[in-house]
Amino acid sequence: MKSRTVRSRTAARKRGRPADPKTRLMFCIVRSFLLGTVSCALLLCILSLIFEKTTLPLTLVRPAACLAASVGVYLSGWDLAQGFARYKLLIGLGCGFFYCLCLLAAALFAGGIASPTTGNLSLAAAILLSGMAGGATAALRQPVSSRRD
C-alpha cells in the first residue's frame, strides 16, 4: 500500500504539476517571468505597429513603453501571487522590486545611474506599483472564506 505522500505526488504528476515544493516554486517563478516578458514584448510590438500606421506624435513613445512594461509586470506579479496561498500583496511587491532592480541594472549598463531627468525613476515607480497591483488583484480574486487562514 502506498503512503499518503507518494499518492499525492503521483496525483500531482498526473495533473501536470511538480510535486516537490522547490520545483513548484521554481516552476511558478519561471512561468511568471515568461508571462511578464512575453506580454510586454507583444504589447511593444502592437504599439510599434500603431505608431507606424498612425500619425501619433513620437513624444508618446516613452509613455507607451512605460505602459507596456507596467502591464508586463502587473501580469507577472498577478501570476506569481496566484501560485501562493498567503502574502500575495508582498509577493507582487517583490516581483515589482525585482523588475526595478533589472531596470536599474540596465540603466547602469547603458550609461550610468538613472537620473530624475531621464524618466527612469517614474518608470521604476510605475513598475513597482504595477507589481504590487498584480499581487493585490490576486489577493482580491480569492474567495472570502479562504482569506482568513
Side-chain angles (χ1 to χ4, degrees):
M1 181 173 182
K2 292 182 180 179
S3 69
R4 186 176 191 153
T5 57
V6 173
R7 280 186 288 186
S8 67
R9 286 182 187 160
T10 307
R13 283 190 199 113
K14 286 181 182 177
R15 288 190 304 257
R17 294 183 180 166
D20 184 32
K22 291 180 183 178
T23 308
R24 185 175 173 269
L25 175 67
M26 287 306 297
F27 176 75
C28 206
I29 289 172
V30 169
R31 184 186 66 202
S32 170
F33 180 74
L34 287 176
L35 176 69
T37 54
V38 167
S39 62
C40 179
L42 285 176
L43 194 55
L44 282 173
C45 289
I46 291 169
L47 288 170
S48 69
L49 286 174
I50 290 173
F51 277 104
E52 179 189 3
K53 301 294 182 188
T54 62
T55 59
L56 289 173
L58 294 180
T59 55
L60 293 178
V61 170
R62 186 176 210 100
C66 182
L67 172 76
S70 296
V71 167
V73 173
Y74 173 83
L75 290 175
S76 185
W78 174 78
D79 186 54
L80 187 61
Q82 286 288 97
F84 294 92
R86 303 177 77 185
Y87 307 114
K88 293 181 183 283
L89 185 64
L90 290 175
I91 290 170
L93 181 66
C95 188
F97 185 71
F98 168 74
Y99 283 108
C100 280
L101 288 178
C102 291
L103 174 70
L104 180 65
L108 285 173
F109 287 132
I113 191 79
S115 66
T117 57
T118 61
N120 284 339
L121 293 180
S122 61
L123 178 60
I127 284 174
L128 189 67
L129 292 175
S130 295
M132 193 169 62
T137 304
L140 291 175
R141 299 280 300 170
Q142 224 177 12
V144 175
S145 61
S146 65
R147 285 189 209 160
R148 294 185 184 165
D149 45 339

